[in-house]
Amino acid sequence: MMESIIEVVQQGRLFELPDNDKTSAIRFLAHVIEALPEVPAETNVFELVMQREETGNTGLGHGWACPHARVPFDGDLACTIGWSPKGIDYGAPDGTPVNLVVMYLIPDNQRSRYVREVSSLARAITALSASARLSDISSLDGVRNYLLDLVDVHGGSERVEARARMIRLQAKASAKASISEDLSALTIEPLTLITGPHDTSVVLTQNPSLLALLRDPKECISMLEASGSWYGGGWRILRRHTMTYEGGWVTYECFGIKAS
């Protein structure tokens, strides 16, 4: 199994986490999944995952965690992975800080596949942990190679292992082409929103469609304050950081994410 791990690497859903705490990591990855076109817009993945965390910690040990949520509709198993270079205090059973957070959204028709995949993942993590330490990885490229090693150790099928080898060959043949392919599934744009006295607002982005969407950003800013995210026009806006300045000025550093 572990097909979802391969899909994450191929489709560019592997990210360095912008914050280093459990709740922020879960929020960021949940919003990435919410931005996928197959996930209904009203699905609050963050809330569902946090409710699941209240019933039991999803740390797997060896620097891994697997937060997840089940949803009452059919579809594909959705997955995304966040990397924390420093490690997150996740409360994992072995007390080890978590460097890789693998989040799943599990439709009704994918429950059996999810169980098989996570079982394979747990076995591979145990087998690989003695020879490779997550805390030694210093880049996203290193994380990708680690995940491909994981598939080589326990891919679970010849097809999955063949796909892992293909990704390695593509990366060696052309690093630039590999990066372009990884990012093809999602458009990710940095975005800064600024508010000030007398209802002043400024939108800073290099993406014309995102700029047009946020000509009046009041609703977006209100939602960012309330929940850390806003959805509109196919874009998911994620708040990374807020800074307040003298004179009533506030800046919101954000990501805009849109599935292509």
Side-chain angles (χ1 to χ4, degrees):
M1 292 299 293
M2 293 201 292
E3 291 185 3
S4 293
I5 302 295
I6 293 295
E7 290 171 0
V8 164
V9 174
Q10 282 188 314
Q11 298 178 11
R13 295 202 299 271
L14 170 63
F15 302 94
E16 181 173 349
L17 294 168
D19 296 295
N20 202 50
D21 67 90
K22 177 179 177 178
T23 300
S24 296
I26 289 175
R27 179 182 290 110
F28 179 86
L29 295 175
H31 291 329
V32 170
I33 288 180
E34 288 167 358
L36 297 176
E38 63 266 27
V39 177
E42 68 275 8
T43 307
N44 191 331
V45 178
F46 173 69
E47 182 177 309
L48 292 171
V49 172
M50 292 303 292
Q51 289 174 354
R52 172 59 184 83
E53 287 295 316
E54 291 177 0
T55 69
N57 191 289
T58 54
L60 300 179
H62 304 291
W64 287 72
C66 191
H68 54 275
R70 294 189 173 103
V71 286
F73 53 78
D74 289 348
D76 292 331
L77 186 66
C79 180
T80 188
I81 299 178
W83 170 56
S84 170
K86 294 181 179 179
I88 297 169
D89 182 6
Y90 201 92
D94 62 355
T96 302
V98 165
N99 297 101
L100 282 180
V101 183
V102 185
M103 180 176 289
Y104 288 94
L105 187 69
I106 312 161
D108 276 338
N109 62 320
Q110 297 291 340
R111 293 189 179 191
S112 296
R113 178 187 168 190
Y114 166 75
V115 171
R116 292 194 301 271
E117 181 150 329
V118 171
S119 297
S120 295
L121 179 61
R123 289 193 297 271
I125 290 169
T126 301
L128 190 61
S129 62
S131 59
R133 296 200 317 167
L134 279 173
S135 58
D136 293 335
I137 298 175
S138 59
S139 68
L140 273 179
D141 283 338
V143 177
R144 291 187 186 95
N145 289 331
Y146 178 93
L147 293 173
L148 295 174
D149 287 342
L150 196 76
V151 172
D152 284 342
V153 168
H154 203 294
S157 74
E158 291 184 3
R159 180 165 58 91
V160 172
E161 292 167 8
R163 288 174 68 189
R165 289 192 294 271
M166 178 190 69
I167 293 171
R168 287 188 190 277
L169 291 173
Q170 289 174 339
K172 289 179 180 179
S174 173
K176 290 183 179 180
S178 177
I179 291 172
S180 174
E181 181 181 4
D182 280 351
L183 297 179
S184 63
L186 293 176
T187 299
I188 304 173
E189 293 285 346
L191 168 70
T192 300
L193 302 176
I194 304 173
T195 62
H198 313 298
D199 289 329
T200 303
S201 61
V202 179
V203 179
L204 301 177
T205 176
Q206 294 183 332
N207 186 288
S209 67
L210 191 54
L211 181 62
L213 178 67
L214 294 173
R215 289 192 184 281
D216 183 358
K218 292 179 182 178
E219 178 187 350
C220 175
I221 290 171
S222 177
M223 290 300 298
L224 292 176
E225 284 281 5
S227 64
S229 71
W230 176 80
Y231 182 84
W235 286 90
R236 177 75 62 177
I237 308 301
L238 312 180
R239 185 187 65 199
R240 295 186 61 194
H241 182 68
T242 303
M243 182 71 73
T244 302
Y245 296 89
E246 292 292 333
W249 294 92
V250 182
T251 63
Y252 304 83
E253 299 295 335
C254 307
F255 279 135
I257 301 177
K258 185 176 184 180
S260 54

Short mmCIF file of all heavy atoms in Angstrom, two decimals, residues 29-72:
data_model
loop_
_atom_site.label_atom_id
_atom_site.label_comp_id
_atom_site.label_asym_id
_atom_site.label_seq_id
_atom_site.Cartn_x
_atom_site.Cartn_y
_atom_site.Cartn_z
N LEU A 29 -2.57 21.87 7.53
CA LEU A 29 -2.78 20.71 6.67
C LEU A 29 -4.27 20.48 6.39
O LEU A 29 -4.64 20.07 5.27
CB LEU A 29 -2.17 19.46 7.32
CG LEU A 29 -0.64 19.49 7.47
CD1 LEU A 29 -0.16 18.26 8.23
CD2 LEU A 29 0.05 19.59 6.12
N ALA A 30 -5.12 20.77 7.37
CA ALA A 30 -6.56 20.63 7.16
C ALA A 30 -7.03 21.57 6.05
O ALA A 30 -7.83 21.20 5.18
CB ALA A 30 -7.31 20.91 8.45
N HIS A 31 -6.52 22.80 6.04
CA HIS A 31 -6.93 23.75 5.03
C HIS A 31 -6.40 23.36 3.65
O HIS A 31 -7.06 23.65 2.63
CB HIS A 31 -6.47 25.15 5.40
CG HIS A 31 -7.19 25.72 6.59
ND1 HIS A 31 -8.49 25.40 6.89
CD2 HIS A 31 -6.78 26.59 7.56
CE1 HIS A 31 -8.86 26.05 7.98
NE2 HIS A 31 -7.85 26.76 8.42
N VAL A 32 -5.23 22.73 3.59
CA VAL A 32 -4.74 22.22 2.30
C VAL A 32 -5.71 21.17 1.75
O VAL A 32 -6.07 21.19 0.57
CB VAL A 32 -3.33 21.63 2.44
CG1 VAL A 32 -2.92 20.89 1.16
CG2 VAL A 32 -2.31 22.72 2.75
N ILE A 33 -6.16 20.26 2.60
CA ILE A 33 -7.11 19.23 2.16
C ILE A 33 -8.44 19.86 1.77
O ILE A 33 -9.07 19.47 0.77
CB ILE A 33 -7.30 18.16 3.26
CG1 ILE A 33 -6.03 17.29 3.37
CG2 ILE A 33 -8.51 17.28 2.98
CD1 ILE A 33 -6.09 16.21 4.41
N GLU A 34 -8.89 20.86 2.52
CA GLU A 34 -10.15 21.54 2.19
C GLU A 34 -10.10 22.19 0.81
O GLU A 34 -11.13 22.36 0.16
CB GLU A 34 -10.46 22.59 3.26
CG GLU A 34 -10.89 22.00 4.59
CD GLU A 34 -10.90 23.02 5.71
OE1 GLU A 34 -10.54 24.20 5.46
OE2 GLU A 34 -11.26 22.64 6.84
N ALA A 35 -8.89 22.57 0.38
CA ALA A 35 -8.74 23.23 -0.92
C ALA A 35 -8.81 22.26 -2.09
O ALA A 35 -8.91 22.69 -3.25
CB ALA A 35 -7.42 23.99 -0.97
N LEU A 36 -8.75 20.95 -1.84
CA LEU A 36 -8.80 19.98 -2.93
C LEU A 36 -10.19 19.99 -3.57
O LEU A 36 -11.20 20.06 -2.86
CB LEU A 36 -8.47 18.58 -2.41
CG LEU A 36 -7.06 18.39 -1.83
CD1 LEU A 36 -6.90 17.00 -1.25
CD2 LEU A 36 -6.00 18.65 -2.89
N PRO A 37 -10.26 19.92 -4.89
CA PRO A 37 -11.56 20.06 -5.56
C PRO A 37 -12.56 18.96 -5.22
O PRO A 37 -13.77 19.19 -5.29
CB PRO A 37 -11.18 20.04 -7.05
CG PRO A 37 -9.83 19.41 -7.12
CD PRO A 37 -9.14 19.77 -5.84
N GLU A 38 -12.08 17.78 -4.84
CA GLU A 38 -13.01 16.68 -4.54
C GLU A 38 -13.61 16.78 -3.14
O GLU A 38 -14.52 16.01 -2.80
CB GLU A 38 -12.30 15.33 -4.70
CG GLU A 38 -11.14 15.10 -3.76
CD GLU A 38 -9.81 15.48 -4.35
OE1 GLU A 38 -9.79 16.38 -5.24
OE2 GLU A 38 -8.79 14.91 -3.94
N VAL A 39 -13.13 17.71 -2.31
CA VAL A 39 -13.65 17.86 -0.96
C VAL A 39 -14.72 18.94 -0.96
O VAL A 39 -14.45 20.08 -1.37
CB VAL A 39 -12.52 18.22 0.04
CG1 VAL A 39 -13.08 18.45 1.44
CG2 VAL A 39 -11.47 17.11 0.06
N PRO A 40 -15.96 18.63 -0.55
CA PRO A 40 -17.02 19.65 -0.54
C PRO A 40 -16.59 20.89 0.25
O PRO A 40 -15.95 20.80 1.30
CB PRO A 40 -18.19 18.93 0.16
CG PRO A 40 -17.95 17.48 -0.12
CD PRO A 40 -16.45 17.31 -0.12
N ALA A 41 -16.95 22.08 -0.27
CA ALA A 41 -16.47 23.34 0.29
C ALA A 41 -16.88 23.52 1.75
O ALA A 41 -16.19 24.18 2.52
CB ALA A 41 -16.99 24.51 -0.55
N GLU A 42 -18.01 22.94 2.15
CA GLU A 42 -18.48 23.14 3.52
C GLU A 42 -17.82 22.21 4.54
O GLU A 42 -18.11 22.28 5.73
CB GLU A 42 -20.00 22.96 3.58
CG GLU A 42 -20.49 21.53 3.34
CD GLU A 42 -20.65 21.17 1.86
OE1 GLU A 42 -20.23 21.99 1.02
OE2 GLU A 42 -21.18 20.08 1.57
N THR A 43 -16.91 21.34 4.09
CA THR A 43 -16.28 20.37 4.99
C THR A 43 -15.24 21.07 5.86
O THR A 43 -14.25 21.60 5.37
CB THR A 43 -15.59 19.25 4.19
OG1 THR A 43 -16.53 18.67 3.28
CG2 THR A 43 -15.08 18.16 5.13
N ASN A 44 -15.46 21.06 7.18
CA ASN A 44 -14.53 21.69 8.13
C ASN A 44 -13.56 20.62 8.60
O ASN A 44 -13.76 20.00 9.65
CB ASN A 44 -15.29 22.31 9.30
CG ASN A 44 -14.40 23.19 10.16
OD1 ASN A 44 -13.18 22.97 10.26
ND2 ASN A 44 -14.99 24.18 10.79
N VAL A 45 -12.51 20.39 7.82
CA VAL A 45 -11.57 19.31 8.13
C VAL A 45 -10.85 19.58 9.45
O VAL A 45 -10.63 18.66 10.25
CB VAL A 45 -10.55 19.14 6.98
CG1 VAL A 45 -9.53 18.05 7.32
CG2 VAL A 45 -11.28 18.77 5.69
N PHE A 46 -10.48 20.82 9.70
CA PHE A 46 -9.78 21.15 10.94
C PHE A 46 -10.61 20.75 12.16
O PHE A 46 -10.12 20.09 13.08
CB PHE A 46 -9.47 22.64 10.99
CG PHE A 46 -8.91 23.10 12.31
CD1 PHE A 46 -7.64 22.72 12.72
CD2 PHE A 46 -9.65 23.92 13.15
CE1 PHE A 46 -7.13 23.13 13.95
CE2 PHE A 46 -9.15 24.34 14.37
CZ PHE A 46 -7.88 23.94 14.76
N GLU A 47 -11.87 21.12 12.17
CA GLU A 47 -12.73 20.80 13.32
C GLU A 47 -12.88 19.29 13.47
O GLU A 47 -12.82 18.76 14.59
CB GLU A 47 -14.10 21.45 13.13
CG GLU A 47 -15.06 21.22 14.28
CD GLU A 47 -16.37 21.94 14.08
OE1 GLU A 47 -16.34 23.16 13.80
OE2 GLU A 47 -17.43 21.29 14.18
N LEU A 48 -13.06 18.57 12.36
CA LEU A 48 -13.22 17.12 12.43
C LEU A 48 -11.96 16.44 12.97
O LEU A 48 -12.04 15.51 13.79
CB LEU A 48 -13.56 16.57 11.05
CG LEU A 48 -14.93 16.95 10.48
CD1 LEU A 48 -15.03 16.52 9.01
CD2 LEU A 48 -16.04 16.30 11.30
N VAL A 49 -10.79 16.89 12.51
CA VAL A 49 -9.54 16.30 12.97
C VAL A 49 -9.31 16.60 14.46
O VAL A 49 -8.89 15.71 15.22
CB VAL A 49 -8.35 16.79 12.12
CG1 VAL A 49 -7.03 16.32 12.72
CG2 VAL A 49 -8.48 16.29 10.69
N MET A 50 -9.59 17.81 14.88
CA MET A 50 -9.40 18.16 16.29
C MET A 50 -10.35 17.36 17.19
O MET A 50 -9.98 16.96 18.30
CB MET A 50 -9.59 19.66 16.49
CG MET A 50 -8.52 20.51 15.86
SD MET A 50 -6.83 20.12 16.43
CE MET A 50 -6.91 20.67 18.14
N GLN A 51 -11.57 17.12 16.71
CA GLN A 51 -12.49 16.27 17.48
C GLN A 51 -11.93 14.86 17.63
O GLN A 51 -12.03 14.25 18.71
CB GLN A 51 -13.85 16.23 16.80
CG GLN A 51 -14.64 17.53 16.89
CD GLN A 51 -15.92 17.50 16.07
OE1 GLN A 51 -16.20 16.54 15.32
NE2 GLN A 51 -16.71 18.55 16.17
N ARG A 52 -11.31 14.35 16.56
CA ARG A 52 -10.70 13.03 16.64
C ARG A 52 -9.51 13.02 17.61
O ARG A 52 -9.32 12.05 18.36
CB ARG A 52 -10.24 12.60 15.24
CG ARG A 52 -9.41 11.32 15.20
CD ARG A 52 -10.16 10.13 15.77
NE ARG A 52 -9.33 8.94 15.81
CZ ARG A 52 -8.46 8.65 16.77
NH1 ARG A 52 -8.28 9.50 17.79
NH2 ARG A 52 -7.78 7.54 16.73
N GLU A 53 -8.73 14.09 17.64
CA GLU A 53 -7.59 14.17 18.55
C GLU A 53 -8.03 14.14 20.01
O GLU A 53 -7.29 13.65 20.87
CB GLU A 53 -6.78 15.45 18.29
CG GLU A 53 -5.96 15.43 17.02
CD GLU A 53 -4.85 14.41 17.05
OE1 GLU A 53 -4.16 14.30 18.08
OE2 GLU A 53 -4.68 13.70 16.05
N GLU A 54 -9.23 14.63 20.30
CA GLU A 54 -9.72 14.62 21.67
C GLU A 54 -9.98 13.21 22.17
O GLU A 54 -9.97 12.97 23.38
CB GLU A 54 -11.00 15.45 21.77
CG GLU A 54 -10.78 16.95 21.57
CD GLU A 54 -12.08 17.74 21.60
OE1 GLU A 54 -13.15 17.11 21.76
OE2 GLU A 54 -12.01 18.97 21.44
N THR A 55 -10.19 12.26 21.26
CA THR A 55 -10.46 10.88 21.67
C THR A 55 -9.19 10.06 21.83
O THR A 55 -9.23 8.96 22.39
CB THR A 55 -11.37 10.18 20.64
OG1 THR A 55 -10.64 9.98 19.42
CG2 THR A 55 -12.61 11.01 20.37
N GLY A 56 -8.06 10.56 21.36
CA GLY A 56 -6.80 9.83 21.47
C GLY A 56 -5.71 10.45 20.63
O GLY A 56 -5.97 10.88 19.50
N ASN A 57 -4.50 10.52 21.17
CA ASN A 57 -3.38 11.11 20.45
C ASN A 57 -3.02 10.25 19.25
O ASN A 57 -2.96 9.02 19.33
CB ASN A 57 -2.17 11.24 21.39
CG ASN A 57 -1.06 12.07 20.80
OD1 ASN A 57 -0.38 11.65 19.87
ND2 ASN A 57 -0.85 13.25 21.35
N THR A 58 -2.77 10.90 18.11
CA THR A 58 -2.48 10.17 16.87
C THR A 58 -0.99 10.11 16.55
O THR A 58 -0.62 9.83 15.41
CB THR A 58 -3.24 10.81 15.69
OG1 THR A 58 -2.93 12.20 15.61
CG2 THR A 58 -4.74 10.63 15.85
N GLY A 59 -0.14 10.38 17.54
CA GLY A 59 1.29 10.19 17.33
C GLY A 59 1.62 8.72 17.17
O GLY A 59 1.15 7.87 17.95
N LEU A 60 2.43 8.40 16.16
CA LEU A 60 2.80 7.01 15.90
C LEU A 60 4.12 6.62 16.55
O LEU A 60 4.46 5.45 16.63
CB LEU A 60 2.91 6.76 14.39
CG LEU A 60 1.65 6.99 13.55
CD1 LEU A 60 1.95 6.72 12.08
CD2 LEU A 60 0.51 6.11 14.03
N GLY A 61 4.91 7.62 17.01
CA GLY A 61 6.26 7.36 17.49
C GLY A 61 7.27 7.53 16.38
O GLY A 61 6.93 7.69 15.21
N HIS A 62 8.55 7.53 16.75
CA HIS A 62 9.66 7.67 15.78
C HIS A 62 9.60 8.98 15.00
O HIS A 62 10.11 9.07 13.87
CB HIS A 62 9.71 6.49 14.82
CG HIS A 62 9.80 5.16 15.49
ND1 HIS A 62 10.93 4.74 16.17
CD2 HIS A 62 8.89 4.15 15.61
CE1 HIS A 62 10.72 3.53 16.67
NE2 HIS A 62 9.48 3.15 16.34
N GLY A 63 8.92 10.02 15.55
CA GLY A 63 8.86 11.31 14.88
C GLY A 63 7.70 11.49 13.91
O GLY A 63 7.69 12.45 13.15
N TRP A 64 6.72 10.58 13.97
CA TRP A 64 5.58 10.62 13.05
C TRP A 64 4.27 10.82 13.81
O TRP A 64 4.13 10.38 14.94
CB TRP A 64 5.45 9.30 12.28
CG TRP A 64 6.47 9.07 11.23
CD1 TRP A 64 7.79 8.78 11.41
CD2 TRP A 64 6.26 9.09 9.82
NE1 TRP A 64 8.42 8.62 10.20
CE2 TRP A 64 7.51 8.80 9.21
CE3 TRP A 64 5.16 9.32 9.01
CZ2 TRP A 64 7.65 8.73 7.83
CZ3 TRP A 64 5.30 9.25 7.64
CH2 TRP A 64 6.55 8.96 7.06
N ALA A 65 3.31 11.48 13.14
CA ALA A 65 1.94 11.56 13.64
C ALA A 65 0.99 11.42 12.46
O ALA A 65 1.34 11.76 11.33
CB ALA A 65 1.68 12.88 14.36
N CYS A 66 -0.20 10.90 12.74
CA CYS A 66 -1.15 10.61 11.66
C CYS A 66 -2.55 11.10 12.04
O CYS A 66 -3.46 10.29 12.24
CB CYS A 66 -1.15 9.11 11.37
SG CYS A 66 -2.03 8.65 9.88
N PRO A 67 -2.75 12.41 12.14
CA PRO A 67 -4.11 12.92 12.41
C PRO A 67 -5.03 12.62 11.24
O PRO A 67 -4.59 12.59 10.09
CB PRO A 67 -3.89 14.42 12.59
CG PRO A 67 -2.65 14.72 11.80
CD PRO A 67 -1.78 13.50 11.94
N HIS A 68 -6.29 12.39 11.55
CA HIS A 68 -7.22 12.01 10.48
C HIS A 68 -8.66 12.30 10.90
O HIS A 68 -8.94 12.56 12.06
CB HIS A 68 -7.05 10.52 10.15
CG HIS A 68 -7.20 9.62 11.34
ND1 HIS A 68 -6.15 9.34 12.19
CD2 HIS A 68 -8.27 8.96 11.85
CE1 HIS A 68 -6.55 8.54 13.16
NE2 HIS A 68 -7.83 8.30 12.96
N ALA A 69 -9.55 12.23 9.92
CA ALA A 69 -10.97 12.40 10.17
C ALA A 69 -11.75 11.60 9.16
O ALA A 69 -11.33 11.46 8.01
CB ALA A 69 -11.36 13.88 10.09
N ARG A 70 -12.88 11.06 9.60
CA ARG A 70 -13.79 10.35 8.70
C ARG A 70 -14.91 11.30 8.30
O ARG A 70 -15.36 12.13 9.08
CB ARG A 70 -14.36 9.11 9.38
CG ARG A 70 -13.30 8.05 9.66
CD ARG A 70 -13.97 6.75 10.13
NE ARG A 70 -13.01 5.67 10.24
CZ ARG A 70 -12.50 5.24 11.38
NH1 ARG A 70 -12.84 5.81 12.51
NH2 ARG A 70 -11.63 4.24 11.39
N VAL A 71 -15.38 11.15 7.06
CA VAL A 71 -16.47 12.00 6.55
C VAL A 71 -17.55 11.12 5.93
O VAL A 71 -17.25 10.06 5.34
CB VAL A 71 -15.94 13.01 5.51
CG1 VAL A 71 -15.17 14.12 6.20
CG2 VAL A 71 -15.06 12.34 4.46
N PRO A 72 -18.82 11.53 6.05
CA PRO A 72 -19.95 10.68 5.62
C PRO A 72 -20.29 10.82 4.14
O PRO A 72 -21.45 11.04 3.78
CB PRO A 72 -21.08 11.18 6.51
CG PRO A 72 -20.79 12.63 6.70
CD PRO A 72 -19.28 12.73 6.76
#
